[in-house]
């Protein structure tokens, strides 16, 4: 009798009761039935119904294991006559409609799925992969409906590769609270515009700064939906383009060097790309020797280091003067990669110069992107974007989990 009472209280049964509990070597089976003539609730609107239309075949739900024994619930659902919805299957206090697992097990699965792969969670609870996917999808749907929506002031937009072949997802973060706001397929204007439409005009007006890479579709959408927001092109991506320019120069010049010069500059890639303060003592000594050579690779290195001074300026007019002077020098150099980089800077100055006032980087965005990649790696990828996006929301958006009651 004590076990029946314990299970009834844990399942929060009011109009139902535990009839019997059967124990076998494989599982623990709990049989549930209606308690007397107590009123049942409609499975759609949850209104109390006085009439029962009929009794359906027995169904089985999987619950949290008791010790090492899997726990299963068995019950014959009633079809009730709801004055509002008509004839419907009754509401179950222990599970959602059409589900084969209880809310308690679903919440436990969803909680562990934030730490492990879905296949690992399925093995742990003894359920199949689809049950885990369903639990996560329900948790994400509940969390998106019930999460708090404070004003967004600083936003970061970036893309994440989903699989090979230039297939991307777009992710949007709140850089003040460090949480995911939205994730969606593709990085086109049509695809990402759904986020701004869902956000609404009122919340779009509160956005002050948007940090992003120089992808034109993102910039066009921000100018269209958040006209008061300042676009800031991310320092990380700008330096990435600069490093690609010097690496391209290094590769092309290495082919032209003599055998004697090539020995000195062999394996110098990371030596030239690293910041000087991050070099080890032996690397500093080698670099000081290399920069004495008057060859194009060294001149390209000096161009790269002179550009990095831009990030230290505090006064906008001084920063702009330095940048324009640097672009003039780059255009006069004979390095086509640096000319291409200078032309890119010139066409994006309105999003680069605000750095001196904002001092904002999307380092948090890149950190969250690494977390997104780890989600994919621990699951060895996802076949469809739907499940990948659901797992990104589940792990990165800080969504509340459903309640059992």
């Amino acid at each position: 009798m004590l076990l029946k009472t314990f299970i009834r209280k844990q399942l929060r049964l009011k109009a139902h009761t535990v009839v019997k509990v059967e124990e076998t070597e494989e599982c623990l089976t709990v049989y549930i039935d209606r308690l007397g003539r107590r009123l049942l609730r409609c499975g759609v609107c949850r209104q109390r119904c006085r009439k029962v239309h009929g009794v359906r075949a027995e169904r089985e739900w999987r619950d949290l294991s008791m010790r090492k024994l899997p726990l299963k619930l068995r019950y014959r659902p009633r079809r009730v006559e709801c004055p509002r919805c008509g004839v419907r299957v009754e509401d179950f206090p222990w599970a959602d409609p059409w589900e084969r697992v209880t809310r308690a097990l679903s919440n436990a699965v969803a909680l562990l799925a934030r730490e492990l792969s879905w296949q690992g969670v399925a093995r742990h609870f003894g359920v199949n992969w689809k049950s885990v996917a369903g639990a996560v999808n329900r948790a994400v749907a509940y969390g998106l409906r019930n999460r708090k929506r404070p004003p967004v002031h600083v936003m970061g937009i970036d893309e994440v590769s989903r699989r090979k072949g230039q297939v991307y997802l777009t992710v949007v973060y709140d850089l003040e609270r460090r949480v995911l706001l939205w994730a969606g397929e593709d990085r086109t204007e049509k695809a990402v515009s759904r986020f701004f439409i869902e956000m609404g005009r009122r919340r779009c007006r509160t956005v002050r700064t948007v940090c992003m890479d120089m992808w034109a579709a993102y910039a066009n959408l921000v100018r269209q939906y958040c006209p008061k927001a300042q676009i800031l092109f991310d320092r990380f991506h700008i330096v990435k383009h600069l490093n690609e320019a010097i690496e391209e120069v290094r590769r092309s010049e290495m082919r032209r060097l003599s055998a004697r010069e090539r020995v000195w500059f062999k394996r110098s890639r990371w030596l030239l790309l690293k910041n000087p303060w991050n070099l080890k003592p032996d690397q500093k000594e080698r670099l000081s020797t290399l920069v004495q050579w008057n060859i194009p690779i060294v001149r390209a290195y000096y161009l790269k280091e002179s550009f990095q001074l831009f990030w230290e300026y505090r006064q906008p007019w001084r920063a702009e003067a330095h940048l324009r002077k640097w672009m003039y020098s780059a255009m006069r150099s004979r390095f086509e990669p640096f000319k291409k980089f200078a032309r890119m800077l010139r066409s994006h100055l309105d999003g680069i110069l605000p750095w001196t006032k904002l001092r904002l980087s999307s380092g948090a965005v890149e950190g969250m992107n690494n977390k997104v990649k780890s989600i994919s790696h621990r699951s060895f990828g996802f076949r469809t974007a739907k499940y990948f996006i659901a797992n990104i929301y589940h792990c990165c958006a800080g969504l509340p989990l459903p309640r059992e009651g």
Side-chain angles (χ1 to χ4, degrees):
M1 294 297 294
L2 292 176
L3 182 59
K4 291 182 181 179
T5 304
F6 172 77
I7 294 175
R8 178 176 58 81
K9 289 184 177 180
Q10 289 297 312
L11 296 177
R12 299 177 182 176
L13 303 180
K14 300 295 183 184
H16 304 80
T17 186
V18 177
V19 178
K20 65 177 179 178
V21 179
E22 285 187 358
E23 181 182 356
T24 62
E25 294 182 359
E26 292 80 17
C27 66
L28 196 66
T29 306
V30 178
Y31 292 88
I32 301 173
D33 201 357
R34 184 185 178 190
L35 182 59
R37 298 181 61 85
R38 293 201 178 182
L39 299 183
L40 304 176
R41 293 183 180 272
C42 171
V44 178
C45 64
R46 300 197 78 251
Q47 182 178 346
R48 291 180 181 271
C49 305
R50 294 184 177 275
K51 295 183 180 180
V52 176
H53 183 77
V55 182
R56 305 195 71 175
E58 189 176 62
R59 287 175 57 184
E60 185 176 274
W61 292 265
R62 175 70 191 278
D63 198 8
L64 285 168
S65 299
M66 185 170 291
R67 299 293 290 176
K68 293 184 179 181
L69 282 177
L71 184 63
K72 296 181 180 180
L73 310 181
R74 288 188 177 180
Y75 174 65
R76 298 187 67 187
R78 270 65 172 175
R79 298 181 72 201
V80 296
E81 296 183 8
C82 177
R84 182 184 300 174
C85 308
V87 179
R88 300 287 182 178
V89 177
E90 65 171 303
D91 176 68
F92 309 113
W94 59 85
D96 292 326
W98 309 107
E99 297 301 329
R100 288 293 184 265
V101 296
T102 62
R103 292 193 187 99
L105 179 58
S106 180
N107 289 350
V109 166
L111 185 62
L112 190 60
R114 287 181 171 173
E115 307 297 332
L116 301 179
S117 68
W118 289 4
Q119 193 65 47
V121 176
R123 284 194 298 266
H124 178 78
F125 286 103
V127 296
N128 58 29
W129 188 89
K130 288 186 178 180
S131 297
V132 179
V136 172
N137 284 329
R138 287 193 297 275
V140 169
Y142 174 87
L144 291 176
R145 288 195 307 267
N146 296 276
R147 69 173 173 176
K148 296 180 180 179
R149 299 179 182 272
V152 179
H153 301 301
V154 183
M155 197 163 62
I157 307 177
D158 203 0
E159 74 273 356
V160 178
S161 177
R162 185 170 77 82
R163 59 179 175 83
K164 292 181 179 180
Q166 302 293 318
V167 180
Y168 292 98
L169 300 179
T170 295
V171 287
V172 184
Y173 301 104
D174 183 344
L175 295 184
E176 285 185 330
R177 297 188 298 130
R178 305 293 178 91
V179 295
L180 177 77
L181 294 177
W182 184 82
E185 289 188 68
D186 215 342
R187 53 175 183 168
T188 60
E189 288 190 31
K190 182 179 179 181
V192 185
S193 63
R194 293 200 302 269
F195 162 70
F196 292 96
I197 294 172
E198 292 173 7
M199 195 173 179
R201 292 184 179 179
R202 185 174 180 181
R203 296 189 72 213
C204 284
R205 292 195 198 102
T206 65
V207 180
R208 299 172 186 169
T209 308
V210 182
C211 191
M212 66 177 77
D213 58 13
M214 286 171 276
W215 184 244
Y218 297 158
N220 294 337
L221 287 171
V222 171
R223 294 188 184 102
Q224 178 182 351
Y225 290 97
C226 305
K228 296 183 179 180
Q230 173 63 60
I231 294 176
L232 179 64
F233 295 123
D234 179 36
R235 173 179 176 175
F236 171 83
H237 289 90
I238 295 173
V239 174
K240 178 184 175 183
H241 286 292
L242 177 63
N243 288 341
E244 288 174 355
I246 189 173
E247 175 61 13
E248 193 173 339
V249 171
R250 187 191 71 85
R251 287 182 178 179
S252 63
E253 293 299 325
M254 280 290 288
R255 302 187 191 101
R256 303 177 186 175
L257 294 178
S258 63
R260 176 172 171 269
E261 293 173 331
R262 196 174 299 159
V263 171
W264 284 95
F265 284 91
K266 189 176 181 180
R267 298 179 181 176
S268 62
R269 176 185 179 185
W270 301 112
L271 196 66
L272 299 175
L273 293 181
K274 268 189 176 182
N275 290 318
W277 54 88
N278 290 332
L279 294 173
K280 297 178 181 179
D282 58 329
Q283 292 177 327
K284 290 181 180 180
E285 184 177 352
R286 186 186 174 198
L287 181 63
S288 63
T289 304
L290 294 182
V291 296
Q292 297 176 11
W293 292 69
N294 185 21
I295 60 175
I297 296 179
V298 175
R299 292 198 294 272
Y301 175 77
Y302 281 132
L303 264 179
K304 173 228 172 190
E305 289 303 318
S306 64
F307 174 83
Q308 297 283 42
L309 295 176
F310 167 77
W311 309 114
E312 306 300 326
Y313 282 100
R314 297 280 180 176
Q315 296 173 315
W317 67 274
R318 289 183 181 274
E320 184 176 1
H322 172 79
L323 195 58
R324 292 190 181 278
K325 183 179 178 181
W326 186 91
M327 288 189 295
Y328 178 76
S329 301
M331 293 302 294
R332 292 194 64 187
S333 70
R334 298 181 180 180
F335 306 134
E336 190 57 36
F338 277 89
K339 291 182 180 180
K340 181 180 177 182
F341 178 68
R343 285 192 290 267
M344 183 193 70
L345 293 179
R346 189 171 293 166
S347 60
H348 294 88
L349 278 178
D350 58 337
I352 298 174
L353 293 176
W355 160 263
T356 54
K357 292 183 178 179
L358 299 175
R359 296 277 165 177
L360 181 68
S361 174
S362 66
V365 174
E366 297 303 323
M368 295 292 283
N369 284 353
N370 289 335
K371 186 174 182 179
V372 169
K373 292 173 185 176
S374 70
I375 292 171
S376 178
H377 291 165
R378 76 189 181 199
S379 301
F380 297 97
F382 292 85
R383 289 188 178 181
T384 62
K386 174 186 174 183
Y387 289 131
F388 191 21
I389 292 172
N391 211 359
I392 292 172
Y393 273 120
H394 190 54
C395 298
C396 302
L399 300 177
L401 290 174
R403 294 175 296 179
E404 293 183 25

